[in-house]
Amino acid sequence: MLVARASTTCSATLRVVARTSTRWGQRMVDGDVKDRNGRRVTAADVARSIGVSRATVGYVLNDTPGARISPETRERVLQAAERLGYQPSTVAQALARGRSRIVLIVLPDWPIEFSLRTQLDEATRMLDEAGYATIIHTHHESEHAQPLWKLVEPEVVAGLVPFTPDDVRSIRAAGITRIVPDPDDHVALDAMPVVLAGPQLQVRHLASLGHRKLAFAATPDTRLADLSAVRRRTVEREAARLGLDLVDARRIDYRDADLAGVLHEWLAAGVTGVVAFNDEVAGTIVGAAIRAGISVPEELAVIGHDNTPMASCFAPTISTVGIDSVGVGRWMAEQAIRRAEDRPVNTDFPEPTTFLVERESTACRKDR
């Protein structure tokens, strides 16, 4: 997946649609002004047309600080550039500045769900306000194409999760030194507070309601296997800390014809509370329970993750936990901007704002 959000400063870099027009005998193709012979109009042509040096034209058009150019000469240069239809090359300008003002956000091979979309919306909004174009790229493990950081010239490569050592070597080999999160910090996925906080709150909520035996319902999406495993281990640790018993952990697939059998197994083992990987999995369990005649929440309480809109549309409505996805997206954008501007970055992941949304799928009884 590739999403390009181009700011004015680098729109020519990303232009893929050819445009043609005529003006004073010039022709514009793919954003470049051509003369009648098909040659691109250059700053040297502007200088030659009014008898000044190429350097003078450069000083005027680049508004170079400290350049001693008279107002009359400056006006002549601007008028000649307008008359000839000269368009400065944004690619050349970026190379001259050593800056493209592009931030490449690399996503793991995850589905773009509600929480992730919210993070990306906020990150790209902040980057746009700071004058940076954003390219969003999903990095597949079995990718056959060249990684996008080799094909464009981003100032920063930012990852939603830490990059692998192989990816870091590849990014640096492409000449890119600004990477977020900082690969030298060696932060693992299961050490990021934003990953751990949700499952911890799910377990605490069920424990506060008197549930002593839990099950963890993982997603069947293999792309999320690593994240699902981290959440399961977090649930195990939090349950053990609170003296609870995690009876079972397995993938729950809505296409499984024997979901009712799984739920009856859990009930027979004494499970009264289910921690679901996300709201989609929670909805699968609630739906299967209702169809199997299992009362939710009286017999089986279920809590999801992500606080998606669909959780409030079920009957019964689904309790869930939410993460401040807007804050996470803002933090990622801020780190990318700081890295691009060579300012100090906050190497510690912030403690996320995690909140409980208690609905009908969890019981308030404490007589378990």
Side-chain angles (χ1 to χ4, degrees):
M1 178 188 74
L2 171 63
V3 179
R5 303 190 182 207
S7 64
T8 303
T9 56
C10 58
S11 60
T13 307
L14 302 177
R15 185 181 293 112
V16 295
V17 179
R19 297 183 296 131
T20 62
S21 65
T22 58
R23 185 181 183 185
W24 289 298
Q26 277 78 41
R27 185 166 53 91
M28 180 177 285
V29 179
D30 295 335
D32 289 337
V33 177
K34 309 286 185 177
D35 63 17
R36 287 190 175 88
N37 297 319
R39 186 177 62 84
R40 183 178 185 275
V41 175
T42 66
D45 296 324
V46 176
R48 194 179 303 112
S49 72
I50 56 175
V52 298
S53 69
R54 167 66 180 80
T56 296
V57 172
Y59 291 147
V60 172
L61 297 181
N62 294 323
D63 200 19
T64 304
R68 296 182 178 179
I69 307 296
S70 69
E72 294 79 8
T73 299
R74 181 179 298 276
E75 184 62 24
R76 288 175 61 210
V77 169
L78 294 175
Q79 289 180 357
E82 173 68 16
R83 183 179 70 255
L84 295 175
Y86 171 71
Q87 297 286 333
S89 169
T90 53
V91 175
Q93 289 178 334
L95 292 173
R97 292 192 307 263
R99 302 194 63 184
S100 66
R101 299 195 73 81
I102 295 174
V103 172
L104 174 62
I105 296 179
V106 180
L107 305 181
D109 189 9
W110 292 352
I112 309 299
E113 297 174 329
F114 177 77
S115 180
L116 180 53
R117 287 199 308 271
T118 304
Q119 293 177 35
L120 293 175
D121 284 346
E122 182 62 18
T124 55
R125 184 193 65 77
M126 277 195 65
L127 287 165
D128 178 72
E129 289 182 355
Y132 290 89
T134 306
I135 298 176
I136 300 174
H137 171 61
T138 298
H139 186 37
H140 303 281
E141 283 189 21
S142 58
E143 202 162 52
H144 298 291
Q146 288 284 332
L148 203 57
W149 54 74
K150 291 186 177 181
L151 303 179
V152 297
E153 296 184 351
E155 289 191 44
V156 180
V157 175
L160 190 67
V161 298
F163 291 102
T164 66
D166 286 344
D167 283 343
V168 171
R169 283 190 290 270
S170 177
I171 294 169
R172 286 175 169 165
I176 301 165
T177 58
R178 301 180 179 99
I179 305 173
V180 176
D182 190 339
D184 294 329
D185 290 337
H186 304 289
V187 179
L189 185 64
D190 58 3
M192 298 172 65
V194 70
V195 175
L196 307 181
Q200 291 170 342
L201 184 54
Q202 286 175 297
V203 174
R204 291 170 194 165
H205 175 58
L206 292 176
S208 72
L209 300 175
H211 298 280
R212 312 309 299 171
K213 292 189 176 183
L214 310 179
F216 177 74
T219 175
D221 194 330
T222 56
R223 295 173 297 174
L224 293 165
D226 289 344
L227 180 60
S228 186
V230 169
R231 288 187 181 175
R232 176 182 56 77
R233 290 194 295 269
T234 305
V235 168
E236 289 175 347
R237 289 194 297 267
E238 190 66 13
R241 188 183 72 82
L242 297 174
L244 310 183
D245 184 12
L246 185 64
V247 174
D248 188 24
R250 68 174 74 185
R251 291 190 298 179
I252 298 296
D253 192 331
Y254 70 92
R255 295 162 293 191
D256 186 352
D258 193 33
L259 275 182
V262 173
L263 301 187
H264 282 297
E265 284 181 31
W266 284 350
L267 292 176
V271 171
T272 61
V274 178
V275 176
F277 171 81
N278 60 13
D279 292 341
E280 183 177 327
V281 174
T284 298
I285 295 170
V286 170
I290 298 302
R291 287 191 296 273
I294 299 171
S295 178
V296 176
E298 287 77 15
E299 295 180 85
L300 195 65
V302 183
I303 184 168
H305 192 295
D306 290 345
N307 191 33
T308 60
M310 60 89 68
S312 63
C313 298
F314 267 74
T317 55
I318 298 173
S319 295
T320 185
V321 298
I323 302 292
D324 179 15
S325 297
V326 170
V328 174
R330 186 179 299 119
W331 181 87
M332 181 170 63
E334 181 183 350
Q335 300 311 297
I337 294 168
R338 285 179 170 272
R339 188 73 74 185
E341 298 175 354
D342 293 323
R343 290 189 285 144
V345 299
N346 180 7
T347 57
D348 295 327
F349 286 93
E351 288 293 334
T353 301
T354 310
F355 53 92
L356 172 69
V357 183
E358 189 171 3
R359 297 193 179 104
E360 297 168 347
S361 68
T362 54
C364 294
R365 292 170 53 193
K366 298 189 178 183
D367 56 350
R368 303 279 178 178

